[in-house]
Amino acid sequence: MSTHLFGIRHHGPGCARSLKEALHALQPDCILIEGPPEANDLIPFVAGAEMQPPVALLLYVPDAPQNAVYYPFAAFSPEWQALQFAVAGNIPVQFCDLPQAFRLLPAEKSEASEEDEGEEDENEEENAEVASVQELDLQARLVRADPLLVLAQAAGFADTETWWDHLVEQRTDSLDLFAAIAEMMTVVRTEITQASDQLQDQLEVRREAYMRQMLRQAEKAGYQKIAVVCGAYHVPALARMPTAKHDADILKGLDKVKVAATWTPWSYGRLAFASGYGAGVEAPGWYHHLWHQPEQAVLFWLSDVANLLRKHDLDASSAHIIEATRLADTLAALRDRHRPGLDEIMEATRAVFCYDSDAPLRLIRRELLLNDRLGAVPADAPNLPLPQNVALLQKKFRMAVRADSTDLELDLREAAHLEKSNLLYRLSLLGIDWGKRQHLRGKTGTFHEAWRLEWQPDFAIKLIEANIWGSTLETAASAYVIDMARRAQTLPELTKLVERVLLANLGMALHDVMRRLEEVSALTPDLGYMLAALPALANAMRYGNVRNTDTAAMELVVSKLLSRICIALPVGARGLADEPAAQMVKDLIAADQAVRMLQNEDYLNNWFASLVQTARQESSHGLIAGRCARILTEQGQWSEEQAGQQLAVHCSHAQTPLLTAHWIEGFLQGSGALLIHNDMLWQLINSWMASLGAETFIELLPLLRRTFSSFAGPERYQLGERAVASKGAAAVTLHTDTALDQSRARLVIPVLQAILGKTLHDDQPGANA
């Protein structure tokens, strides 16, 4: 009976290749692999033709799916090669790590366990031991976090990643590799980290105790050649076997929870350090080449670089590939390395292909180093009903699940396209943003939608979490939005939810959501909330028409809401401070567009009547009264003479200058067309401004400037032209208590010339102050 320990890095082509050769040479009769025992029944799926790495084992708590963990595998993962070797050779294989049933406990249980373990630390002697641990020097803590860093630095490397890559992953033979790893890790754990042994993670202690128990079970079962594939750091702990009682005591009394497992697609991007994956690698795209083309990895890599740059219209030729290959080889030789590694290749790529520019290099890192390759799992792999239903819909609509971005354009007049849109919106309601709406120029029709699709591996856990709402996507999304509606307390929340329900075409949920909307609407006294809700409802009714949804219930709610708005608007416009008034103007503009979108004559008549009342009452805030007058004028409800009369009233000396300025801002803000083409309005505003005293004018200047700055550039230019050409401009006199200083006044002429785009001559109005 013999046990062979193979210490590996979790994702490395060199380790994977060496392990594969070692297993073929050993021909074990049992293989134990570091991984979750709950997934043992899923091991046979690795041999299926539909199983394409990268993939991951997903383990979760059925009653609390947010408690989950992934075990990713790529083709170059040693564990994956061990699994395939075992399944292909019909060799008994199982995972031997500490079960997730002991690790995926709810947070409160974990905290309670930690408190129980800490209860014995209350005496002074034990507190002193804790203090001594805390006083361990920084170097010891750093060694515990990365025990191989000392060896890497001793070998002349700045970091562990580069050192391990050159030492292990780039090798093409398995000559004494695992014996060397075992010896190295023994030294690391017995000598280098002995200063920080007190920082040993309790979880790691339990994991190694459980692995030793699994090894004892395999020996007891009578297997003669046992191969153990585990992280290199665990090898010394498995080589020295303590008593079975010692390990049993470590594992005694652990709480556990029920755990389920399945396979899910994974991506290279999520195997990288950059994704936050603790056992990740720096460049999975590079390791892909090292695994599939070990002898010509550099050539294949640089060819991919050239193809990528050509795809983005950047210069890249065969000569570039040759020169970059030579430069990488030269750099490796200068650094006394037997072959170029990632550092040498990236330096050569930057010098030859990128002309020392960071922009192409960022593209290469994103597209090639990380490489968004997405794996696939068999359709018959165990899964919950909702994820299965979504997979069937994706297959039915031929919407490929990919990690990279793809664009999708839909015409909702086609039934198949409408179904695809429904799928994307329903997933979005469940928090799965597979598709994101894009806004393209020239394609703004209601029937046209543009999407950008990008599947994220963690969507799998979100689908599992959403399974509690229903077994199909439609029922799950419907149940979820009904629950959201019940919990919503404000009108804007519900109106946005209604819009999303209609976009997702969830007819079965619309009735419940609309009933809740009507309840909240009837109890909402805030005019701002009611105005803000109207545009969303109008949009929802439009989308309902596009998607052939019955919106009769919604129309009833809109009718009641608009009636309440028309009654409340004249009252709500009174006594407001400037900031709430400015916000109400924005809501008023949006609500006006919504009312006109509904194309209902009764709605329009009631709306315009409310605007007239608000515009004419003296107590309305100037911003709101001015905007109401502007809407009435633009929609032909008031003639320009009527608008001029209101302006004259507000520009009279009976009004304070600030109130007048607010009215003008509300009336003119956003467009100066009325001021350009209406002589009466121009004269009224011009005369009012000319009548202002110097101090009052300076006080109001920021307000006026804000109003005129909202005009388009051509409008400002035409107003400037009109100011210069105005015959009455020369007659304007400023009211000031002091004599005008002609020399100082002339200093502003260059500024005026720059603003107006004209050269002022002495015979032009305004040239002589």
Side-chain angles (χ1 to χ4, degrees):
M1 180 182 298
S2 60
T3 299
H4 301 265
L5 303 177
F6 297 99
I8 49 89
R9 183 187 187 180
H10 290 299
H11 308 291
C15 272
R17 184 174 295 106
S18 298
L19 177 64
K20 186 177 180 180
E21 294 177 4
L23 291 176
H24 276 284
L26 177 64
Q27 290 298 313
D29 56 2
C30 176
I31 300 178
L32 302 179
I33 301 175
E34 181 182 328
E38 294 94 340
N40 283 337
D41 292 340
L42 299 177
I43 292 177
F45 286 95
V46 303
E50 296 182 31
M51 182 74 81
Q52 299 292 329
V55 293
L57 284 170
L58 169 59
L59 285 89
Y60 61 94
V61 179
D63 295 334
Q66 65 273 16
N67 291 349
V69 65
Y70 294 101
Y71 284 81
F73 301 96
F76 49 77
S77 300
E79 300 95 330
W80 181 258
Q81 291 302 318
L83 288 171
Q84 287 202 318
F85 176 83
V87 173
N90 200 26
I91 300 171
V93 57
Q94 57 183 322
F95 292 115
C96 64
D97 201 352
L98 181 68
Q100 285 295 333
F102 299 124
R103 301 160 69 175
L104 288 178
L105 296 171
E108 59 270 16
K109 280 194 175 183
S110 298
E111 292 172 1
S113 298
E114 291 174 3
E115 290 175 2
D116 293 341
E117 291 172 3
E119 286 177 357
E120 299 178 359
D121 293 336
E122 295 179 357
N123 59 65
E124 294 183 0
E125 180 179 353
E126 289 173 341
N127 285 338
E129 292 178 4
V130 173
S132 67
V133 171
Q134 294 175 343
E135 292 174 1
L136 288 172
D137 58 28
L138 178 61
Q139 181 62 31
R141 292 177 180 272
L142 292 175
V143 169
R144 182 71 184 89
D146 188 1
L148 298 181
L149 181 60
V150 175
L151 297 179
Q153 292 175 340
F157 291 83
D159 60 89
T160 305
E161 174 76 11
T162 306
W163 170 70
W164 186 273
D165 183 63
H166 280 273
L167 180 71
V168 177
E169 306 307 348
Q170 293 192 50
R171 65 187 298 137
T172 57
D173 62 81
S174 59
L175 183 62
D176 295 331
L177 173 64
F178 296 106
I181 289 177
E183 182 179 357
M184 176 182 66
M185 298 313 301
T186 300
V187 171
V188 167
R189 294 196 61 162
T190 58
E191 298 184 19
I192 296 179
T193 62
Q194 60 184 352
S196 59
D197 279 344
Q198 297 177 71
L199 296 179
Q200 178 80 359
D201 189 350
Q202 187 64 25
L203 175 61
E204 295 301 311
V205 172
R206 291 169 178 167
R207 290 178 64 195
E208 291 172 349
Y210 190 87
M211 290 182 195
R212 289 191 292 264
Q213 281 195 338
M214 294 294 292
L215 184 54
R216 292 188 186 97
Q217 289 182 14
E219 292 173 348
K220 187 177 180 180
Y223 293 112
Q224 299 300 309
K225 293 182 180 180
I226 304 171
V228 181
V229 180
C230 62
Y233 190 78
H234 300 301
V235 169
L238 302 184
R240 298 189 301 272
M241 297 284 287
T243 63
K245 183 178 183 303
H246 173 271
D247 290 337
D249 290 341
I250 293 175
L251 299 172
K252 185 178 180 180
L254 293 181
D255 290 331
K256 64 189 302 184
V257 67
K258 183 180 179 181
V259 172
T262 185
W263 285 106
T264 185
W266 205 247
S267 71
Y268 275 174
R270 299 299 294 270
L271 282 174
F273 283 132
S275 70
Y277 175 40
V281 295
E282 183 180 354
W286 164 242
Y287 275 3
H288 177 86
H289 284 290
L290 277 180
W291 173 251
H292 290 284
Q293 299 92 17
E295 298 297 336
Q296 296 181 302
V298 175
L299 179 60
F300 277 87
W301 166 265
L302 293 175
S303 298
D304 282 353
V305 169
N307 290 331
L308 176 65
L309 296 178
R310 289 171 191 159
K311 188 183 300 182
H312 288 79
D313 298 324
L314 297 173
D315 186 25
S317 65
S318 300
H320 286 89
I321 298 175
I322 295 171
E323 290 302 318
T325 303
R326 289 175 176 173
L327 180 55
D329 289 337
T330 302
L331 289 172
L334 289 173
R335 294 167 182 172
D336 197 24
R337 298 174 183 177
H338 66 282
R339 62 193 305 176
L342 185 59
D343 289 343
E344 290 76 28
I345 294 170
M346 291 305 295
E347 289 177 31
T349 299
R350 175 170 183 163
V352 177
F353 285 97
C354 305
Y355 303 100
D356 208 35
S357 171
D358 286 336
L361 202 62
R362 286 195 296 269
L363 174 66
I364 292 169
R365 289 185 182 277
R366 183 179 69 250
E367 298 291 334
L368 297 183
L369 282 187
L370 297 183
N371 191 326
D372 279 332
R373 181 187 300 269
L374 188 71
V377 300
D380 58 344
N383 213 334
L384 292 174
L386 178 59
Q388 288 180 342
N389 178 250
V390 171
L392 288 174
L393 291 173
Q394 290 167 335
K395 184 177 182 180
K396 175 183 176 181
F397 301 136
R398 299 181 181 179
M399 299 173 69
V401 174
R402 298 175 56 177
D404 57 337
S405 298
T406 57
D407 292 328
L408 176 67
E409 293 193 22
L410 302 176
D411 184 344
L412 302 185
R413 292 168 293 187
E414 298 183 21
H417 287 203
L418 182 59
E419 291 292 337
K420 292 180 181 180
S421 178
N422 293 339
L423 169 63
L424 294 172
Y425 277 118
R426 290 169 183 176
L427 286 172
S428 179
L429 277 170
L430 295 174
I432 302 169
D433 294 322
W434 180 23
K436 294 183 179 179
R437 282 290 301 273
Q438 305 295 306
H439 299 283
L440 304 178
R441 292 182 179 178
K443 294 185 177 180
T444 57
T446 306
F447 292 98
H448 183 270
E449 287 182 353
W451 295 83
R452 178 156 295 167
L453 308 183
E454 185 174 352
W455 186 266
Q456 300 293 336
D458 56 2
F459 289 165
I461 189 64
K462 291 185 177 181
L463 281 173
I464 291 173
E465 291 177 3
N467 193 82
I468 62 173
W469 299 106
S471 58
T472 67
L473 182 57
E474 183 176 6
T475 57
S478 297
Y480 183 65
V481 297
I482 290 172
D483 182 72
M484 289 176 65
R486 289 171 181 164
R487 291 184 283 108
Q489 300 297 320
T490 64
L491 199 55
E493 286 181 88
L494 282 164
T495 52
K496 291 178 182 177
L497 185 59
V498 168
E499 186 174 6
R500 298 182 68 188
V501 167
L502 283 174
L503 287 170
N505 204 8
L506 295 174
M508 64 175 64
L510 186 59
H511 175 74
D512 295 86
V513 178
M514 290 305 304
R515 184 172 57 188
R516 177 60 179 164
L517 176 65
E518 189 172 359
E519 292 173 358
V520 175
S521 174
L523 299 174
T524 298
D526 192 294
L527 175 61
Y529 274 170
M530 290 191 286
L531 285 171
L534 196 58
L537 286 174
N539 279 330
M541 291 185 68
R542 180 186 66 173
Y543 285 122
N545 292 332
V546 172
R547 296 168 189 272
N548 300 317
T549 305
D550 183 8
T551 56
M554 187 180 305
E555 189 169 356
L556 180 62
V557 173
V558 169
S559 177
K560 293 180 179 179
L561 180 63
L562 185 56
S563 297
R564 297 185 62 209
I565 290 173
C566 292
I567 295 171
L569 180 57
V571 179
R574 300 173 185 171
L576 288 176
D578 293 345
E579 188 173 342
Q583 180 58 47
M584 186 172 288
V585 166
K586 295 179 181 178
D587 294 336
L588 198 66
I589 295 171
D592 174 67
Q593 294 173 346
V595 173
R596 287 186 279 115
M597 183 191 301
L598 295 173
Q599 298 180 352
N600 185 301
E601 187 174 349
D602 291 336
Y603 293 168
L604 287 171
N605 291 337
N606 292 336
W607 174 246
F608 289 140
S610 179
L611 293 181
V612 170
Q613 185 180 350
T614 305
R616 284 180 173 169
Q617 68 181 9
E618 295 182 0
S619 56
S620 294
H621 192 283
L623 280 170
I624 300 172
R627 178 49 60 175
C628 289
R630 174 60 176 267
I631 293 173
L632 291 167
T633 304
E634 285 185 335
Q635 300 306 314
Q637 299 301 305
W638 276 4
S639 65
E640 292 183 353
E641 288 74 14
Q642 288 175 297
Q645 291 173 3
Q646 284 296 311
L647 177 58
V649 169
H650 286 85
C651 288
S652 67
H653 292 291
Q655 301 285 353
T656 62
L658 182 59
L659 178 59
T660 302
H662 278 145
W663 195 95
I664 291 173
E665 181 181 6
F667 186 78
L668 293 177
Q669 191 174 38
S671 174
L674 285 174
L675 197 58
I676 294 171
H677 300 295
N678 191 300
D679 291 335
M680 181 177 62
L681 296 180
W682 170 272
Q683 292 297 340
L684 285 169
I685 294 178
N686 190 45
S687 299
W688 171 76
M689 293 181 65
S691 67
L692 297 175
E695 293 183 1
T696 305
F697 179 79
I698 292 173
E699 181 182 350
L700 296 179
L701 187 58
L703 241 175
L704 297 170
R705 185 174 184 180
R706 183 174 67 192
T707 301
F708 283 84
S709 66
S710 67
F711 299 163
E715 290 178 338
R716 293 200 302 270
Y717 180 80
Q718 291 183 57
L719 289 172
E721 289 279 304
R722 181 162 189 172
V724 172
S726 176
K727 295 181 179 179
V732 174
T733 58
L734 295 177
H735 294 265
T736 178
D737 298 332
T738 59
L740 189 63
D741 187 334
Q742 296 285 341
S743 61
R744 292 183 63 196
R746 288 183 177 277
L747 295 177
V748 304
I749 292 178
V751 179
L752 290 174
Q753 290 174 340
I755 294 174
L756 300 175
K758 288 281 189 178
T759 301
L760 294 178
H761 302 290
D762 290 340
D763 59 344
Q764 285 185 304
N768 293 317

